[in-house]
Amino acid sequence: MLRLGLILLIVPSLALMGAYMYEQHLIESCTAIGGFFDYALSECDPQTEQPFIPFMVRYPLLVNGGMLLSVLGLLLTIVGLYKPNKRDVA
């Protein structure tokens, strides 16, 4: 249970950070060439300024699901640390 808890605690957070940082890279690349990033289509628009749409609004399942899995992982980790292992009981 401890191993599963740690996996659920760490992997969703890393996936969420990876997705966010990848999109930030796309935004930086677009603005560096003088374009405007279209958040709804996730592409660079060279002419028209686009409104900002937060990451949470565009990917609610990714953000909420990732955080839910991380909280579940935290709870499983706490339970795994609290319960004594069979090897420890002698």
Side-chain angles (χ1 to χ4, degrees):
M1 187 172 304
L2 180 60
R3 184 176 299 166
L4 176 63
L6 288 172
I7 289 170
L8 286 176
L9 181 63
I10 295 170
V11 171
S13 300
L14 290 177
L16 186 59
M17 286 190 305
Y20 182 78
M21 294 307 285
Y22 175 70
E23 185 176 77
Q24 284 301 114
H25 171 70
L26 294 177
I27 294 167
E28 291 285 327
S29 300
C30 179
T31 56
I33 61 171
F36 301 98
F37 192 75
D38 186 348
Y39 292 95
L41 300 176
S42 293
E43 60 185 33
C44 191
D45 186 350
Q47 298 172 353
T48 310
E49 188 170 346
Q50 301 292 327
F52 173 71
I53 304 170
F55 191 80
M56 171 71 185
V57 172
R58 289 177 282 128
Y59 303 107
L61 184 62
L62 178 66
V63 174
N64 290 330
M67 291 297 103
L68 183 64
L69 284 176
S70 289
V71 169
L72 178 64
L74 177 65
L75 294 175
L76 287 176
T77 301
I78 291 170
V79 168
L81 288 171
Y82 182 71
K83 291 174 68 176
N85 290 335
K86 293 176 184 172
R87 288 181 265 165
D88 296 340
V89 179

